[in-house]
Amino acid sequence: MKNHLFKIGILTIACFACSFVYSDNHKKEYKFETIAEGLSFPWGIAFISNNEILVTEKTGKLRVIKNGNLLEESVSGVPDSLFRGQGGLEGIVLHPNFTENKYLYLAFSETDPLNKRLNTLRVVRGKLEGLALKEVKTIFKANPSRKTSNHYGAKMVFLADGTLLITSGDGFSYREMAQKLDNHYGKVIRLNDDGSIPEDNPFLSTPGAKPEIWSYGHRNQQGLATNTDGSIVYEHEHGPRGGDELNIIEKGKNYGWPAITYGIDYSGALISPFKEKAGMEQPIHYWTPSIAPSGMTFYDGDLFAKWKGNLFISGLVPGDVRRISINGNKVIEEEILFTALGKRIRNVVTAPDGSLVLATDEFPNQLNPQGGKLIRVKPNK
Amino acid sequence: MKNQTKKVVFLALSILLVSFLVGAQTTISNLIWLTSIDMPITLGVFFSSIYHDFVFMSLTPAPPAPFPLLLSIITFGFFISFGVTWVLLEWVDVQKKYAYGIAGAIALVSIVYLMPLIFFGVDALAGARTPIGKVTLIICGYLGGHFFGSRLNKVEI
């Protein structure tokens, strides 16, 4: 008996030692560096260069971080946005030829000018000249407007062919509209860089369909990224209670919300008893319980060689980043990272130097509205 | 004392009844829409959905809240509206089943119309998103109050 207890004791100590050594080694693989603090709900991040970063603050400002300093002055000429609920100044993306044309794109919620009780998602293109945004042009406005201030989507990415994808969320209370093609709720939108409609969009000849639609049946898509050659589009969307999804977006496809879902409503009610149906796409991965996925990057940098080709997805609820290893259309590994920060992670992007940059905020935000930070993750060499 | 206990039991039953009806209204409105897009709603799916929604809306905590959300909201609403009714009935001569019925309806009106003001325009009860859904929920509140009032009459006779 004594002999058994001794063996069990040794085994337990060995297990603890192994887990300690493992986690310690893992921690030493990378380090955190604060790039900027005092940000007000940082949301979207775009790199002009490794030392010049644009950050949208949900409260309405476009901030610039230059050589490690957060400039006091924000970019002028940015349209007014509606900071309420889940809305505000959110998505940002640079034109693929930004160095030549200086175009950037902003996605934000705004009050409907025709009915102040309503609001909508709007996307503009503007030319960045110094600290001013000029030649601002609306390229997309989600239609119809909504009463709610939730589920805007508001992420953007350029495809290899130069067209722009925009996520447009379901507005929370309008979820059934995600299955119809006559509106922009719960859709992925595809436009040319000037806002015109590409000639090969899938529903151009469908009667009553909005011609901007690229895919439909989405909820609140806050992650959008392509692989290195742009041939695969990854998207993630918030589920309700459970059922956060990671999808591969393809032309004209229906992703099922809310007819099929792995989540239930916040009230506890079933949204749908069905999880699959012919003609509706399955996620390549889903999370129940929810992690509240808030941003995504496809890692093709060189600093973390072993992470090349992985997806990184930030999660608001657990306050971590999920490293997703993918083989084709299959998720083969999920690793939880950066929990040591102890913060809600609003976004994760890859910097030009191959480091990962995280945007964090506080919850509830109202207690510390300037609590947002940008944090760089680098190898610990 | 025995009558007081009975009143508490009837109050609890009326809250459960309304909670069940509100859950069922949500279920049915969801299933009607799913049928409209050709999802295969069978009798089995119907009854299992009704059961699921009653259990998960009325008897199971709704994270992050550590308590059943719907049941708690209805309990809160009924306590206020029934309390006011109890006071008013000292002066107003109305049959209790009607007085409490109206009180139950008013509780649901408050829940249905106040919740979107708190949650940035969002109807937390999916079944309350349409005018007909709102009316149905208010009728559910009336039925719960009516049940409570009519039981009270019997206890006191």
Side-chain angles (χ1 to χ4, degrees):
Chain A
M1 184 64 184
K2 264 187 180 175
N3 202 17
H4 275 304
L5 282 176
F6 179 73
K7 282 179 186 169
I8 290 168
I10 292 289
L11 208 62
T12 310
I13 291 167
C15 284
F16 271 113
C18 284
S19 65
F20 178 77
V21 167
Y22 173 77
S23 65
D24 200 41
N25 278 342
H26 217 64
K27 238 183 260 172
K28 284 177 183 169
E29 284 181 16
Y30 52 80
K31 62 182 176 187
F32 302 117
E33 285 176 8
T34 301
I35 301 171
E37 48 194 345
L39 290 160
S40 179
F41 314 107
W43 215 93
I45 306 168
F47 285 87
I48 293 173
S49 69
N50 205 45
N51 295 317
E52 195 170 2
I53 311 168
L54 296 170
V55 185
T56 58
E57 291 180 320
K58 215 169 93 170
T59 40
K61 287 182 177 173
L62 177 58
R63 305 294 298 270
V64 181
I65 299 162
K66 220 168 188 172
N67 300 319
N69 297 312
L70 176 64
L71 303 188
E72 281 280 326
E73 194 183 344
S74 61
V75 174
S76 63
V78 172
D80 288 338
S81 51
L82 173 71
F83 174 55
R84 190 171 74 197
Q86 295 175 352
L89 180 59
E90 301 189 328
I92 180 169
V93 69
L94 302 184
H95 191 280
N97 296 324
F98 176 82
T99 44
E100 285 93 52
N101 62 26
K102 303 293 177 194
Y103 281 136
L104 64 84
Y105 296 75
L106 295 169
F108 54 92
S109 53
E110 71 159 12
T111 304
D112 186 330
L114 300 175
N115 184 344
K116 301 285 179 200
R117 290 173 62 223
L118 305 178
N119 70 91
T120 192
L121 170 72
R122 182 179 160 201
V123 178
V124 298
R125 182 182 77 173
K127 192 173 248 185
L128 187 67
E129 292 180 6
L131 278 179
L133 195 65
K134 295 185 174 170
E135 299 175 28
V136 176
K137 177 192 174 191
T138 299
I139 63 158
F140 174 72
K141 229 177 194 186
N143 191 358
S145 298
R146 62 188 64 197
K147 283 183 185 169
T148 57
S149 309
N150 302 66
H151 294 198
Y152 294 97
K155 290 280 174 159
M156 296 174 286
V157 72
F158 271 97
L159 299 182
D161 63 3
T163 57
L164 176 67
L165 291 187
I166 303 164
T167 63
S168 178
D170 75 346
F172 194 101
S173 290
Y174 310 90
R175 65 190 185 207
E176 289 82 2
M177 307 274 266
Q179 283 297 316
K180 290 185 170 180
L181 295 170
D182 61 356
N183 66 82
H184 293 130
Y185 290 116
K187 309 295 187 305
V188 173
I189 302 299
R190 180 170 173 254
L191 300 172
N192 290 318
D193 65 350
D194 61 355
S196 60
I197 295 162
E199 286 175 2
D200 56 345
N201 266 9
F203 300 109
L204 288 180
S205 56
T206 306
K210 295 277 184 196
E212 304 89 353
I213 296 172
W214 183 248
S215 67
Y216 65 109
H218 301 288
R219 189 170 183 266
N220 186 22
Q221 323 95 303
Q222 291 194 334
L224 197 59
T226 60
N227 64 346
T228 308
D229 64 11
S231 59
I232 303 174
V233 179
Y234 299 100
E235 171 258 23
H236 66 61
E237 54 191 73
H238 294 270
R241 256 170 75 183
D244 297 341
E245 293 183 0
L246 174 61
N247 293 303
I248 290 179
I249 299 298
E250 290 177 5
K251 178 181 178 177
K253 293 206 168 163
N254 179 358
Y255 290 81
W257 173 258
I260 57 170
T261 175
Y262 288 89
I264 60 171
D265 212 345
Y266 297 108
S267 64
L270 282 171
I271 288 162
S272 168
F274 304 103
K275 292 180 170 54
E276 54 186 48
K277 196 196 177 201
M280 295 182 184
E281 300 304 304
Q282 282 291 306
I284 59 168
H285 192 59
Y286 68 90
W287 290 269
T288 299
S290 292
I291 62 165
S294 52
M296 171 165 61
T297 185
F298 181 89
Y299 188 77
D300 58 359
D302 296 321
L303 276 188
F304 297 100
K306 69 174 186 173
W307 288 347
K308 215 173 170 90
N310 288 182
L311 286 172
F312 287 82
I313 297 173
S314 51
L316 292 167
V317 169
D320 60 35
V321 170
R322 306 295 166 113
R323 181 180 66 78
I324 308 284
S325 178
I326 297 171
N327 187 3
N329 287 358
K330 286 214 163 73
V331 169
I332 53 174
E333 188 190 358
E334 178 179 356
E335 184 184 13
I336 299 172
L337 297 168
F338 314 149
T339 49
L341 289 170
K343 300 277 185 194
R344 277 159 51 96
I345 302 180
R346 170 52 73 184
N347 206 348
V348 53
V349 295
T350 308
D353 68 355
S355 59
L356 287 168
V357 171
L358 316 175
T360 68
D361 63 21
E362 303 283 333
F363 186 80
N365 309 112
Q366 285 71 15
L367 294 181
N368 189 4
Q370 302 296 325
K373 289 182 182 177
L374 238 58
I375 294 168
R376 197 185 290 273
V377 187
K378 293 175 94 169
N380 197 5
K381 285 175 188 166
Chain B
M1 186 61 190
K2 207 177 168 189
N3 276 357
Q4 292 302 328
T5 311
K6 278 187 176 174
K7 285 178 187 174
V8 171
V9 169
F10 290 139
L11 177 64
L13 283 176
S14 68
I15 290 168
L16 263 182
L17 171 68
V18 174
S19 203
F20 170 77
L21 291 174
V22 169
Q25 189 268 357
T26 299
T27 316
I28 291 166
S29 62
N30 279 341
L31 295 183
I32 288 171
W33 177 75
L34 287 166
T35 307
S36 76
I37 58 161
D38 298 327
M39 298 299 281
I41 307 295
T42 59
L43 266 183
V45 169
F46 176 80
F47 286 115
S48 66
S49 300
I50 294 272
Y51 172 78
H52 174 281
D53 287 356
F54 177 59
V55 170
F56 280 85
M57 291 176 81
S58 302
L59 307 177
T60 313
F67 43 79
L69 205 56
L70 179 62
L71 196 74
S72 309
I73 290 169
I74 290 170
T75 304
F76 182 71
F78 270 27
F79 263 97
I80 293 173
S81 63
F82 284 12
V84 171
T85 307
W86 179 68
V87 173
L88 287 177
L89 281 174
E90 295 292 315
W91 293 288
V92 184
D93 185 24
V94 183
Q95 279 197 52
K96 284 187 174 148
K97 58 184 179 186
Y98 298 123
Y100 283 102
I102 291 167
I106 290 172
L108 263 290
V109 167
S110 310
I111 290 168
V112 162
Y113 283 97
L114 289 181
M115 281 175 83
L117 297 180
I118 299 166
F119 297 117
F120 304 107
V122 163
D123 287 298
L125 293 170
R129 290 176 297 160
T130 58
I132 194 165
K134 285 185 171 73
V135 170
T136 313
L137 291 175
I138 292 163
I139 292 170
C140 293
Y142 178 86
L143 292 175
H146 188 95
F147 168 79
F148 178 67
S150 61
R151 295 297 103 184
L152 276 191
N153 273 340
K154 287 191 177 168
V155 169
E156 286 164 3
I157 286 168

